[in-house]
Amino acid sequence: MAEERTKCDFNTPDDGGEAVLKGVEMSTEQPIFSALSGGQAERDTTVGQRASCEGTKAPGAAPTPAPTPAISDTESGIFSGECETCVEHESELDWFCGTELKLICSHCAIVGPCRGHSVTPLADRVTAVRNQLVDACEKMQVQARWMERFMEKTLPSKEQKLQVAASTAREQVVAQVNAAREALEEEEQRLLEEVQREEERVEQCLLTQRAHWSQALDSLAHTRSLVVHTLTHYADPQLVMSIQEFTESVEAAEGVGKPCDTKQLNFRPGCGESKLLRGLWATAMLQGRRAYGSSSFKFDERTVSPLLSLSDDHRTLTFVQIKPSYVHKKLNQSLPYDPARFDSWPNALGSLAMSSGTHTWVLDVGQSAAFKVGVCYASMERKGAWDKARLGYNEQSWVLCHFDGEYSFCHQGNKVLLEVMIRPRKVGLLLDWPSQTLLFYSPESSAVLYTVRGPFNAPLLPAVAVTDQSVTILH
């Protein structure tokens, strides 16, 4: 409730007499003045009666006890000031200075230190304060009602909805897991049967080959024994006459040929592959905390091309924008010679060599429009601008490429274009050495971008090339 203040005119008589307060009527009907007037009147009446009684007291009577001092307005809490009268003017503090926020007398307002300030009769100020407190109480009461309504209606309703929602969520989780488990079990059964069929096929081929070549070996051994017997036991005339017979046997033995290894005799690894299983495996390995690998996984500073800048934490490679006319000068003068450094292509290698176990790492490629990520042998050429030092253009490197809006897998200069529906800002790599598998993955779309089957014949290093913006190893 807005505070209403009474405007007062303070005029000083021209004859230098006492200042007169005009335009204000001090109403004794205000609550605080009623209390003050009533209390003072009672005290005056009591004191007068006691004085009258003392004057008519009989001789020899016991002295009447002194009257108990009246409690002051300050002690009773009616005024908050140190006293109820003005120390300077010894007048009643019946005005309030809004400028200095204190109680004053009328003289302080007219000729005293509060002259010209915004002043209000104390009764009006008390009324305004009471109204403010009443408003505050009403607001608190309304707020309390809202709290009670919230606790009585909203919270129980939310609790019921929570139970229903949680129950539904649990049912959905169980249903999804059951569906996934059922699909995995079916896929597992199918793949195991496929592996079993492949194993039986190879075993059958091996048995057939073993029986065939055993028979051929027995026939060859028999023919050889006959030839040896003829050479050692036949006389010359008999040997000459039997040559035709032995020639046919020798030709039949030689016609069997030589055994040779064929693909039919090898177990086909792809029989145990499944797009569903591969996707779940990649998601499990590259979506969790394990996907980011060891915190020690960084770029090897010695391998970083002069065309790239390496961050202080050795995790971010940034392409350096330089003019073509300064390329040769930069390559020759910017960094000291190091046999491990790529001096022509914007390449860099990781510090971790991988030759066993399963390894995962994730690279943040951001908005880069030109980059390569993959692996290569530690023996890959580092010097010169030829293909042997270019990632993806030799037999020692396997990389995923993004250039000119296209994604492709590159190895030995051969490109396999990839259909990427959502442009990945992160690329995850999974190298499983036991299965000789290299997998490229998009964590954002949970999609396998490409899968490579080895064989890998030497330790592999993470490899990166970038010619636009930056690539960062995520931890």
Side-chain angles (χ1 to χ4, degrees):
M1 182 178 293
E3 178 183 340
E4 297 181 358
R5 294 181 175 176
T6 304
K7 296 183 178 179
C8 305
D9 294 331
F10 294 96
N11 297 326
T12 304
D14 295 337
D15 55 359
E18 185 179 358
V20 179
L21 184 61
K22 296 182 179 181
V24 178
E25 294 183 1
M26 303 298 292
S27 173
T28 59
E29 298 299 327
Q30 297 294 340
I32 189 168
F33 288 103
S34 299
L36 290 172
S37 300
Q40 185 64 34
E42 288 183 2
R43 288 195 296 271
D44 293 344
T45 303
T46 304
V47 172
Q49 291 176 353
R50 289 177 178 174
S52 175
C53 291
E54 289 179 357
T56 59
K57 184 172 54 175
T64 304
T68 302
I71 300 175
S72 65
D73 293 332
T74 303
E75 294 175 352
S76 63
I78 297 177
F79 292 113
S80 60
E82 295 181 354
C83 61
E84 59 181 281
T85 59
C86 178
V87 177
E88 181 178 356
H89 302 103
E90 297 183 355
S91 299
E92 185 179 1
L93 298 175
D94 53 358
W95 287 81
F96 177 79
C97 177
T99 303
E100 298 186 8
L101 301 178
K102 67 179 183 178
L103 296 177
I104 60 174
C105 67
S106 59
H107 296 284
C108 291
I110 298 174
V111 295
C114 294
R115 182 179 181 181
H117 290 183
S118 175
V119 297
T120 308
L122 180 58
D124 293 350
R125 178 60 180 174
V126 170
T127 301
V129 171
R130 289 181 182 277
N131 291 337
Q132 288 181 355
L133 295 178
V134 170
D135 289 345
C137 290
E138 291 177 352
K139 291 180 180 179
M140 288 187 285
Q141 185 176 4
V142 172
Q143 187 177 6
R145 291 176 181 174
W146 278 108
M147 291 180 181
E148 292 174 355
R149 185 178 302 175
F150 181 79
M151 295 175 62
E152 293 175 357
K153 297 182 178 181
T154 304
L155 291 182
S157 175
K158 289 292 183 181
E159 186 176 2
Q160 294 178 356
K161 292 181 180 179
L162 169 63
Q163 295 175 355
V164 173
S167 177
T168 302
R170 290 189 187 95
E171 293 175 357
Q172 290 178 352
V173 170
V174 172
Q176 292 175 0
V177 171
N178 288 336
R181 183 182 294 112
E182 183 179 352
L184 280 175
E185 291 175 353
E186 293 178 356
E187 190 70 2
E188 178 187 17
Q189 184 65 27
R190 185 186 69 82
L191 292 176
L192 292 177
E193 291 175 357
E194 183 68 23
V195 171
Q196 181 68 24
R197 285 193 294 269
E198 179 65 13
E199 181 184 16
E200 293 175 354
R201 182 194 67 79
V202 176
E203 286 181 348
Q204 185 63 38
C205 288
L206 294 176
L207 289 174
T208 302
Q209 290 288 318
R210 183 175 289 107
H212 172 75
W213 291 111
S214 296
Q215 182 180 1
L217 181 61
D218 292 343
S219 176
L220 184 63
H222 178 69
T223 302
R224 181 176 178 276
S225 298
L226 290 177
V227 171
V228 171
H229 179 76
T230 301
L231 289 173
T232 57
H233 294 84
Y234 279 27
D236 292 342
Q238 187 180 3
L239 180 64
V240 172
M241 296 302 296
S242 304
I243 188 62
Q244 184 65 32
E245 177 184 353
F246 289 108
T247 299
E248 294 177 356
S249 299
V250 171
E251 290 179 353
E254 292 178 349
V256 175
K258 297 180 180 180
C260 61
D261 189 5
T262 64
K263 292 183 179 180
Q264 298 297 324
L265 300 178
N266 297 328
F267 182 83
R268 182 170 55 88
C271 68
E273 290 187 355
S274 163
K275 185 176 181 180
L276 172 63
L277 190 60
R278 183 170 62 248
L280 290 175
W281 177 51
T283 300
M285 297 296 296
L286 288 166
Q287 288 285 23
R289 295 182 61 182
R290 295 186 304 170
Y292 298 94
S294 171
S295 59
S296 61
F297 186 84
K298 300 178 181 179
F299 289 111
D300 185 355
E301 184 178 9
R302 295 181 55 201
T303 66
V304 178
S305 166
L307 297 172
L308 305 174
S309 66
L310 183 63
S311 62
D312 294 336
D313 59 3
H314 291 196
R315 290 171 49 194
T316 300
L317 292 172
T318 303
F319 180 66
V320 180
Q321 299 288 346
I322 58 176
K323 296 181 179 179
S325 58
Y326 295 111
V327 171
H328 182 72
K329 181 179 179 181
K330 178 177 178 61
L331 295 180
N332 291 332
Q333 298 181 3
S334 61
L335 294 172
Y337 176 84
D338 193 315
R341 190 184 313 282
F342 290 92
D343 63 357
S344 297
W345 296 106
N347 303 340
L349 304 181
S351 57
L352 178 64
M354 300 168 289
S355 59
S356 63
T358 302
H359 303 268
T360 59
W361 64 101
V362 179
L363 298 166
D364 183 359
V365 297
Q367 296 293 332
S368 175
F371 64 83
K372 297 178 182 179
V373 295
V375 295
C376 71
Y377 290 140
S379 59
M380 179 177 168
E381 182 62 50
R382 313 295 174 88
K383 306 301 180 182
W386 55 339
D387 287 345
K388 288 188 177 182
R390 189 179 182 185
L391 291 176
Y393 282 80
N394 50 67
E395 61 182 8
Q396 295 191 336
S397 58
W398 298 258
V399 293
L400 176 76
C401 305
H402 174 51
F403 182 73
D404 199 21
E406 292 183 347
Y407 289 86
S408 61
F409 170 76
C410 298
H411 175 61
Q412 290 186 313
N414 299 319
K415 289 186 178 182
V416 179
L417 293 180
L418 307 179
E419 294 184 2
V420 178
M421 303 302 296
I422 300 177
R423 178 177 179 176
R425 296 177 60 90
K426 299 176 183 178
V427 177
L429 289 90
L430 187 155
L431 175 64
D432 185 59
W433 194 268
S435 64
Q436 295 283 282
T437 302
L438 174 64
L439 186 145
F440 299 92
Y441 182 80
S442 173
E444 295 159 309
S445 60
S446 300
V448 176
L449 302 176
Y450 195 75
T451 304
V452 183
R453 285 283 186 179
F456 304 118
N457 302 317
L460 293 170
L461 293 172
V464 172
V466 57
T467 55
D468 180 59
Q469 300 187 26
S470 303
V471 173
T472 301
I473 298 174
L474 296 178
H475 285 170

